[in-house]
Amino acid sequence: MASNMRIGGLASGMDIDQIVTDLMKAERIPLDKLTQKKQFLEWQRDDYREMNTSLLELDTQIFDGVFKQGSYAKKTISVSDPAALGVKNINSTVDFSGTVQVDTLAKAATMFSKASSTINTTDKLVAQGITAQTLTIKAIGKDGKLDQGVPIEITADDTIGTLIDKINKSTGVNAYFDEQKGTLSIIAKNTGDVAGTAEIELSPSGNAGDFWTAMNMHSDNIAASTDVSAGGPFGSVGANAALTYNGMPIERSSNNFTINGVEFILKQENTGNVNFSSSTDTDAILDTIVKFADKYNSVIEKVKNELEEKRYRDFQPLTTEQKDAMNEKDIERWEEKARSGTLKGDTILSGALNKMRMDLATAVEGVTGATQLAEIGITTSSNYLEGGKLVIDEDKLKAAITADPNGVYELFAKDGNSSATDGLARRLRDTIKDTMNNIETRAGKSYSVNNTFTLGRNLDSIDDQIVRFEDRLLQVEDRYWRQFTAMEKAIQRFNEQSMYMMQQFGGGM
């Protein structure tokens, strides 16, 4: 189309391409500002998300450390005869001691085939006379009681091997088939004696084609243990552990059991009294608190640095053309200043910093031991420029842990009905959660869609403005070219007329 023709200075001798390019540079200035604004918002969004990552790391450190009761239950335990008795602290925050005499160990019930079977491991069970059926296996549970039974299906595809796998994976017994002898053995996974009944019950049995009948198994372990026919008995009953705990005879269905938050592991019988005692592992608890303080201090420092980082307004994000004219080192130095101060004076972070300081500075109401960090040797730095970092007097903290580890636990993790009665770590986690939610509302997460958070909606708006402005620039550039093309055509016509007139004057002389 004639209107789209561009004539580049043939008539005027002017560099129209360069003139239009220079004119468009001026026209593009608002677009460059939009692009720079978009880049700054993207940097700000990324820096917000980085702050959330740091806050999450602090929250995880708190949860896995000073927030857990087990962190304060770390004990050094001594046992006079470790070969006979094992002792492990589970959640006792107070020291303990005593004696255990192991009279008998808990034993698991067993039963096995009273005669060999004709079952082989190669063929499917149904091809060997076993009907498709549902077996039911009841066994003693960890609570020392007989369970309700687990159904096991024998399908047309099952061999003895696949059936044994099903039994071992799903029921309270372990089964083993000896293919050389053609016999099956079963042992309860849990030890102990179920009073008044068997510890293993098998059904159905007694009919042709029933699996247990084919394997020559009794219906339960009591029947198997009392069968004294040739080769018998064919099983045993379960037995509870019998012991004397601090002078008191007791029984347990398992050799592993817990009393008052302490786990006991019985290993040998008839060893006489075994003495045990514990002492607080002060160093381990101290290490947990120090790790919390170090992480807290690093996050406080990072937040404070972000809030006070200088904003260099003369250093705007570079455009593509500006980058093309610079070397990599200059670009790096420029963008370091351009990206500085994205979160300077941010109200979310400054509010969180103040709240976190108050969380740790306010006394905990309703606890029996220390009510403030200072009482256990943890204070804030006297240097106000450090923003309230924690300083630990290790000797004083060790003494507090040794004297009352449970009191230190309550100071950090007490679950109260309000902020005033909540432990310090619990308050801190609530503040971290609120801050992270506020940041997500403003900056989203890495997988968030732009229209679900504030900065994302701002970025979408800028993108729309950029698209509209680019369309406008195309129209402006086209207008410039139409104007210069019209000028070139006018000059061309003038030149043609001048040549004609000169030819006319020259022809008349």
Side-chain angles (χ1 to χ4, degrees):
M1 295 175 61
S3 60
N4 291 330
M5 290 179 60
R6 295 182 175 183
I7 302 175
L10 293 176
S12 65
M14 300 168 63
D15 188 347
I16 303 302
D17 281 332
Q18 187 59 48
I19 293 172
V20 172
T21 297
D22 291 341
L23 288 169
M24 290 307 298
K25 283 183 180 178
E27 294 287 349
R28 289 185 62 87
I29 290 175
L31 178 62
D32 289 341
K33 290 185 180 299
L34 283 174
T35 304
Q36 290 170 327
K37 184 178 180 181
K38 177 184 176 182
Q39 179 63 79
F40 186 80
L41 287 179
E42 288 175 342
W43 284 339
Q44 190 177 55
R45 174 201 63 195
D46 294 344
D47 288 345
Y48 268 126
R49 291 176 180 178
E50 187 178 343
M51 291 305 306
N52 253 9
T53 299
S54 296
L55 289 170
L56 178 60
E57 290 173 355
L58 174 58
D59 184 64
T60 302
Q61 175 76 46
I62 293 170
F63 180 78
D64 291 336
V66 294
F67 192 71
K68 279 190 173 179
Q69 186 174 16
S71 298
Y72 306 88
K74 296 175 181 177
K75 304 287 183 183
T76 300
I77 299 173
S78 62
V79 180
S80 62
D81 188 356
L85 177 69
V87 180
K88 180 180 178 182
N89 186 40
I90 303 301
N91 55 21
S92 175
T93 56
V94 297
D95 287 332
F96 50 84
S97 62
T99 61
V100 169
Q101 179 177 310
V102 185
D103 299 319
T104 58
L105 293 175
K107 297 178 178 62
T110 64
M111 54 191 302
F112 53 90
S113 301
K114 58 186 176 181
S116 298
S117 72
T118 59
I119 300 297
N120 64 65
T121 59
T122 304
D123 298 325
K124 304 290 178 62
L125 289 173
V126 293
Q128 301 182 67
I130 305 298
T131 60
Q133 60 193 272
T134 299
L135 304 178
T136 300
I137 303 175
K138 295 182 179 181
I140 185 173
K142 291 182 178 180
D143 60 358
K145 299 177 181 178
L146 196 67
D147 63 29
Q148 296 299 308
V150 178
I152 300 293
E153 298 287 339
I154 298 179
T155 68
D157 294 325
D158 276 322
T159 63
I160 184 66
T162 60
L163 179 60
I164 295 297
D165 285 343
K166 289 180 182 180
I167 291 172
N168 290 342
K169 289 178 181 178
S170 304
T171 72
V173 301
N174 283 319
Y176 167 70
F177 179 71
D178 187 333
E179 59 182 300
Q180 291 185 349
K181 293 184 177 180
T183 56
L184 179 70
S185 67
I186 292 176
I187 182 170
K189 291 179 179 177
N190 297 301
T191 58
D193 170 29
V194 179
T197 188
E199 288 78 43
I200 304 172
E201 291 184 1
L202 310 175
S203 62
S205 183
N207 299 317
D210 288 344
F211 176 73
W212 304 123
T213 301
M215 297 308 303
N216 296 306
M217 298 291 289
H218 287 86
S219 60
D220 60 63
N221 68 292
I222 291 180
S225 68
T226 56
D227 185 346
V228 292
S229 61
F234 301 97
S236 64
V237 295
N240 290 335
L243 62 147
T244 303
Y245 176 77
N246 288 342
M248 179 177 65
I250 61 173
E251 286 190 4
R252 291 292 185 273
S253 63
S254 172
N255 293 314
N256 289 47
F257 53 89
T258 301
I259 298 176
N260 296 331
V262 181
E263 181 182 12
F264 294 90
I265 304 98
L266 309 185
K267 301 177 182 180
Q268 292 181 2
E269 298 179 350
N270 300 318
T271 55
N273 276 337
V274 179
N275 300 312
F276 64 90
S277 63
S278 76
S279 60
T280 301
D281 190 345
T282 305
D283 288 338
I285 300 173
L286 175 70
D287 184 60
T288 297
I289 297 174
V290 168
K291 285 180 179 178
F292 154 70
D294 288 344
K295 187 64 179 178
Y296 174 84
N297 287 344
S298 69
V299 172
I300 289 296
E301 182 177 10
K302 186 169 186 176
V303 172
K304 186 173 182 294
N305 288 342
E306 289 287 349
L307 289 171
E308 296 176 354
E309 190 174 51
K310 186 175 180 179
R311 177 82 173 97
Y312 297 93
R313 298 191 179 276
D314 292 337
F315 289 80
Q316 294 298 318
L318 295 170
T319 64
T320 302
E321 289 183 358
Q322 289 171 330
K323 288 182 180 180
D324 290 341
M326 300 169 66
N327 60 48
E328 289 187 10
K329 195 65 179 176
D330 289 338
I331 292 173
E332 183 180 340
R333 284 194 292 261
W334 183 284
E335 290 197 336
E336 183 179 350
K337 290 186 179 296
R339 187 164 184 167
S340 176
T342 56
L343 302 178
K344 180 177 176 61
D346 180 74
T347 55
I348 294 177
L349 295 180
S350 61
L353 193 60
N354 291 332
K355 183 65 168 60
M356 290 165 73
R357 291 170 182 161
M358 288 299 297
D359 288 338
L360 297 184
T362 306
V364 179
E365 298 177 5
V367 293
T368 56
T371 62
Q372 291 184 303
L373 285 177
E375 295 175 43
I376 63 170
I378 303 176
T379 57
T380 54
S381 171
S382 59
N383 184 354
Y384 75 94
L385 294 177
E386 291 187 333
K389 285 186 176 181
L390 299 178
V391 179
I392 295 178
D393 180 337
E394 291 197 3
D395 290 337
K396 187 172 181 179
L397 179 54
K398 278 185 177 181
I401 293 169
T402 302
D404 187 7
N406 191 61
V408 177
Y409 162 69
E410 283 199 345
L411 175 62
F412 279 104
K414 181 177 182 291
D415 187 3
N417 297 319
S418 65
S419 178
T421 55
D422 277 343
L424 305 180
R426 194 174 294 275
R427 295 175 186 171
L428 204 54
R429 293 195 71 207
D430 288 342
T431 297
I432 291 171
K433 181 180 178 181
D434 291 342
T435 303
M436 291 180 67
N437 287 339
N438 290 336
I439 289 177
E440 286 174 15
T441 299
R442 183 169 293 182
K445 297 181 178 180
S446 59
Y447 53 81
S448 297
V449 179
N450 274 358
N451 63 12
T452 61
F453 60 96
T454 303
L455 289 182
R457 289 189 288 272
N458 292 343
L459 287 169
D460 283 346
S461 175
I462 291 175
D463 280 335
D464 291 341
Q465 294 177 58
I466 288 174
V467 170
R468 291 195 299 270
F469 204 90
E470 286 176 337
D471 289 341
R472 178 179 173 276
L473 287 179
L474 291 174
Q475 296 172 4
V476 170
E477 185 178 14
D478 188 58
R479 188 185 77 232
Y480 280 138
W481 274 107
R482 288 199 308 270
Q483 291 172 339
F484 280 111
T485 298
M487 181 191 76
E488 290 291 325
K489 288 180 178 180
I491 293 174
Q492 179 65 27
R493 286 195 299 271
F494 175 78
N495 288 341
E496 290 173 352
Q497 291 172 357
S498 296
M499 288 293 296
Y500 176 76
M501 293 179 66
M502 289 177 65
Q503 289 174 357
Q504 292 299 318
F505 287 133
M509 293 178 64

